[in-house]
């Protein structure tokens, strides 16, 4: 059996950057700014403000009864404990599920669609 001859694929080469040795565009160029969709400083400030609000929300939820809405329409209730730094899991206590109560558990953030608690 003979192997088919591979079709050559063109390589996209970006123009040389402003320093002469790198490829790409200067972060201060109009084209780079347009690709980002606006002012990078303002976008970074907005991300920082949203992150701070999220962390304050996590701190406010600690020790409170919380309802978690999971995939497939499952809702569970628990006492919120903590969240890890990478936002991979929530630690909860007294997790009430349709199958029973768990004293302590970890809920994967990827499975949690929403959570709510009373202030």
């Amino acid at each position: 059996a003979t192997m088919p001859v591979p079709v050559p694929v063109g390589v996209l080469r970006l123009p040389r950057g402003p320093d002469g040795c790198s490829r790409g565009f200067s972060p201060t160029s109009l084209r780079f700014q347009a690709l980002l969709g606006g002012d990078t400083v303002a976008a970074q400030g907005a991300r920082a403000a949203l992150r701070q609000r999220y962390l304050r929300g996590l701190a406010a939820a600690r020790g409170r009864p919380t309802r978690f809405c999971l995939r497939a329409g499952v809702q569970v209730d628990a006492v919120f404990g903590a969240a890890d730094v990478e936002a991979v899991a929530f630690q909860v206590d007294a997790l009430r599920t349709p199958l029973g109560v768990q004293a302590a558990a970890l809920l994967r953030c990827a499975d949690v669609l929403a959570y709510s608690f009373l202030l």
Side-chain angles (χ1 to χ4, degrees):
T2 61
M3 296 289 291
V5 177
V7 177
V9 177
V11 176
L12 174 65
R13 298 231 182 250
L14 295 173
R16 292 241 177 238
D19 59 0
C21 62
S22 68
R23 298 268 180 194
F25 301 99
S26 167
T28 59
S29 72
L30 294 176
R31 182 171 184 171
F32 186 84
Q33 295 296 324
L35 288 173
L36 287 181
D39 187 12
T40 56
V41 175
Q44 185 176 9
R47 282 193 303 274
L50 289 171
R51 175 78 174 155
Q52 189 175 40
R53 287 175 64 184
Y54 174 70
L55 293 174
R56 285 184 180 161
L58 289 178
R62 184 170 172 83
R64 296 185 184 270
T66 306
R67 171 160 290 168
F68 293 89
C69 299
L70 307 176
R71 296 188 182 276
V74 176
Q75 291 187 0
V76 294
D77 295 316
V79 176
F80 191 91
D84 64 344
V85 175
E86 294 87 19
V88 174
F90 293 120
Q91 183 274 320
V92 297
D93 297 316
L95 177 66
R96 290 186 304 280
T97 71
L99 298 176
V101 177
Q102 292 292 322
L106 289 176
L107 298 176
R108 294 183 303 191
C109 289
D111 294 335
V112 176
L113 299 177
Y115 64 95
S116 61
F117 58 94
L118 295 175
L119 291 176

